[in-house]
Amino acid sequence: MKARLIYNPTSGKEILKKNLADILNVMEQAGYESSAYATTPEPFSAKNEATRCALAGFDLIVAAGGDGTINEVINGIAPLENRPKMGIIPGGTTNDFARALHIPRDNVVKAAEVMLKNQTIKSDIGKAGDTYFMNIGAGGYLTELTYEVPSQLKSVFGYLAYLVKGAEMLPRVKPINMKLVYDEGEYIGKASMFFLGLTNSIGGFEQIAPDAQLDDGNFSLIIVKTANIIEIMHLIGLMMNGGKHVNDDRLIYTKTSKLYAESLDEDFRMMINLDGEYGGDAPMTFENLKQHIEIYANLDEIPDSAVSGDVEMEEASEHFIKELEELTNEDIDGDGKISGNE
């Protein structure tokens, strides 16, 4: 059997490059004749190499790097009829997908050794238009804030990165009129964001989609109807307190295999966020591709409680709440509006 390691040589202070020989040795122990490809600054370097290897008949492609590298490899093989197995070696800062699969995130060689257990899962993959994603799809003002967050802060929501910048940026959030059609019905009305999750690990927070499964063919859909800053802060508090936000009437939480999303505000361009990056504009149709890619995972650990927030994420959350409390006390009136703003 043949395997190709596609790795980002600059990821994680070049940690993958430094451990390349040991990683390839582990892949050989797993039964694969292995070779490596270092990604380049050329656009879609990892994606193009993954497609080439899959068409050449490789049995396994191992994506090593941050979530961006993993996302590219998935986009390289997901459209194909014959898809090789995947391995994942996290080397970036976010590593949400690796966390959901319970692959070690602090040691790249240990992460590679998961393949020696010969445990795989056929994982769901999301499709939005012609683009594939592994963790989240979202739209609305709350998600657009994340485009302005420095990349080093995207380890906290990448998507939830606004937890760090929140006090500064959340006052700009406002609801827009959306049309959202999902399995159990449709929502037409104002919302500050919609969110589709494939796993239960979003920026390290399991509680956002507490009952998400990797292979059930369903997204976890959240529609946040409020744009009131105080209410958003309260919802985040409920989320961090055991996922209690899912029963709050200020949002909709449901399961769906597909979603159609459209902005009904003619003057608002609703950009779609896929795995923390810009993925096109609405209207957009999302589809869950059930058990689409077979991936090596640490199945012995997945049924247990997943790893919750790291210390740095807990500190970021505390900072976010403190800053919002100060903003609330000084700048927000009783209706949750910023003093002096419309």
Side-chain angles (χ1 to χ4, degrees):
M1 296 187 295
K2 292 194 304 180
R4 189 71 153 169
L5 173 69
I6 299 176
Y7 73 100
N8 183 343
T10 64
S11 184
K13 299 180 180 179
E14 300 188 351
I15 190 68
L16 291 163
K17 185 177 180 180
K18 295 173 183 176
N19 289 273
L20 183 59
D22 289 336
I23 293 171
L24 289 172
N25 182 52
V26 171
M27 293 168 61
E28 293 277 350
Q29 291 179 50
Y32 295 94
E33 180 183 339
S34 302
S35 56
Y37 171 85
T39 60
T40 69
E42 180 182 351
F44 308 117
S45 170
K47 175 184 175 183
N48 293 337
E49 177 64 8
T51 300
R52 188 196 69 79
C53 291
L55 294 176
F58 278 69
D59 302 284
L60 170 69
I61 296 177
V62 178
D67 282 347
T69 302
I70 298 168
N71 177 279
E72 274 201 41
V73 170
I74 285 174
N75 272 272
I77 66 175
L80 304 178
E81 182 176 352
N82 296 313
R83 298 175 293 276
K85 288 183 182 179
M86 266 193 72
I88 291 174
I89 300 176
T93 54
T94 310
N95 301 320
D96 270 322
F97 200 46
R99 180 186 281 108
L101 298 175
H102 284 250
I103 295 171
R105 294 172 291 114
D106 56 355
N107 186 309
V108 294
V109 178
K110 292 290 186 185
E113 288 175 351
V114 168
M115 289 181 282
L116 299 178
K117 300 177 72 171
N118 199 29
Q119 298 176 347
T120 62
I121 184 170
K122 292 184 177 179
S123 176
D124 297 346
I125 298 296
K127 184 180 182 184
D130 295 325
T131 304
Y132 300 83
F133 61 99
M134 60 196 180
N135 217 43
I136 71 110
Y141 267 101
L142 276 178
T143 61
E144 292 190 13
L145 297 182
T146 67
Y147 298 126
E148 301 181 29
V149 177
S151 60
Q152 64 267 29
L153 294 182
K154 288 191 175 181
S155 59
V156 189
F157 191 50
Y159 344 117
L160 271 180
Y162 69 88
L163 283 179
V164 179
K165 294 280 285 184
E168 173 187 342
M169 303 169 74
L170 274 179
R172 293 162 38 195
V173 174
K174 63 180 181 180
I176 61 171
N177 286 305
M178 297 184 186
K179 179 179 181 181
L180 303 169
V181 183
Y182 48 96
D183 286 354
E184 294 185 355
E186 66 179 18
Y187 175 80
I188 298 177
K190 291 185 178 295
S192 56
M193 79 171 285
F194 72 86
F195 171 94
L196 288 169
L198 280 156
T199 76
N200 70 343
S201 179
I202 312 298
F205 294 95
E206 290 182 321
Q207 299 93 332
I208 296 177
D211 57 350
Q213 295 182 335
L214 290 163
D215 59 354
D216 67 348
N218 287 313
F219 297 112
S220 297
L221 170 63
I222 298 175
I223 303 170
V224 180
K225 295 184 283 187
T226 181
N228 178 292
I229 297 172
I230 297 175
E231 292 187 353
I232 290 173
M233 183 173 68
H234 184 232
L235 286 172
I236 293 173
L238 290 174
M239 177 199 76
M240 296 173 65
N241 186 24
K244 296 178 181 178
H245 64 296
V246 300
N247 297 315
D248 197 284
D249 60 9
R250 290 167 294 189
L251 59 76
I252 294 172
Y253 182 84
T254 187
K255 300 292 183 179
T256 187
S257 63
K258 57 186 178 296
L259 175 74
Y260 171 79
E262 176 185 359
S263 169
L264 299 180
D265 290 340
E266 294 182 359
D267 59 345
F268 178 74
R269 172 193 175 196
M270 186 159 72
M271 296 187 290
I272 300 302
N273 187 315
L274 300 178
D275 289 338
E277 302 295 337
Y278 171 67
D281 293 349
M284 185 74 75
T285 297
F286 301 81
E287 179 185 2
N288 187 303
L289 304 179
K290 185 175 182 179
Q291 301 180 11
H292 194 65
I293 296 179
E294 186 175 1
I295 304 176
Y296 279 101
N298 194 356
L299 296 186
D300 293 334
E301 300 295 330
I302 287 179
D304 300 332
S305 297
V307 177
S308 58
D310 295 335
V311 172
E312 62 181 358
M313 287 189 280
E314 292 173 359
E315 291 176 350
S317 302
E318 292 172 1
H319 171 76
F320 164 79
I321 292 174
K322 180 181 178 181
E323 291 293 323
L324 269 185
E325 286 175 347
E326 292 177 359
L327 184 67
T328 302
N329 293 333
E330 297 176 5
D331 300 317
I332 303 177
D333 62 26
D335 295 324
K337 298 178 180 179
I338 304 299
S339 300
N341 289 356
E342 293 298 327

